[in-house]
Amino acid sequence: PALTVAKSVTSTGPYALGDTIAYSFAVTNTGNVALSNVTVNDALVGLSAVSCPSTTLAVGANMTCTATYVVTQADVDAGNVHNSATASGTPPTTPGNPTPPPVTTPPSEVDTPITQTPALTIDKTTTTPTYASVGQVLSYSYLVTNSGNTTITAAITVTDDRIATVTCPALPAGGLLPTQSITCAATYTVTQADL
């Protein structure tokens, strides 16, 4: 008894968060006996149930099973969906072997790239009156938003050509998700040169 499986992607990318990837699994009985209880096993968490047209395969027969998967934020952050599948089937019983062990294929692996578009935007504002005087302390805030599609995990820093130090808070646990924002802050003392 022998069995093979070949996994492939049948949908068309590029893929982003929430998109559906369609998979097919070509299962072939390459042995010399019929197989029953033929199934496809895929370890990808979140994959739909694998649908096969039959649970038996005659000698030399093949079938195509299908499944789908919805892209998650973790996939976007990784830039890739990687998974593998195996197929198994049970050979017929014989007088000398009333409970034959199932035949299992080696893994068939496939990688599906996910489009990454990291980006940040910044909006600087102040609540200071329009007209400032020498010595007055101006308060600035900087709204930094993750405007891309990947999670930002590195500390965010803001550079201001008029201010030496801009203070930014620590990122939320797990990083700054797309559309999330943090607010940084700084102060500046008005000089005579500014006036």
Side-chain angles (χ1 to χ4, degrees), residues 29-168:
N29 182 348
T30 56
N32 61 357
V33 295
L35 297 173
S36 60
N37 301 317
V38 178
T39 58
V40 172
N41 305 293
D42 194 307
L44 182 61
V45 176
L47 185 76
S48 70
V50 179
S51 174
C52 295
S54 177
T55 59
T56 60
L57 279 178
V59 175
N62 62 75
M63 65 179 175
T64 299
C65 305
T66 59
T68 58
Y69 176 76
V70 178
V71 176
T72 68
Q73 185 60 53
D75 299 324
V76 177
D77 293 340
N80 177 62
V81 175
H82 171 82
N83 67 315
S84 63
T86 61
S88 62
T90 305
T93 62
T94 63
N97 190 4
T99 56
V103 178
T104 301
T105 68
S108 175
E109 300 182 343
V110 64
D111 286 282
T112 307
I114 306 299
T115 302
Q116 292 182 314
T117 55
L120 289 173
T121 59
I122 186 168
D123 183 22
K124 179 180 178 180
T125 58
T126 181
T127 57
T128 305
T130 303
Y131 298 102
S133 57
V134 174
Q136 184 174 5
V137 177
L138 308 181
S139 297
Y140 291 103
S141 66
Y142 308 79
L143 183 68
V144 182
T145 302
N146 183 350
S147 55
N149 72 343
T150 59
T151 302
I152 304 297
T153 56
I156 290 176
T157 59
V158 172
T159 301
D160 192 312
D161 63 352
R162 302 286 297 185
I163 299 171
T165 303
V166 178
T167 303
C168 293

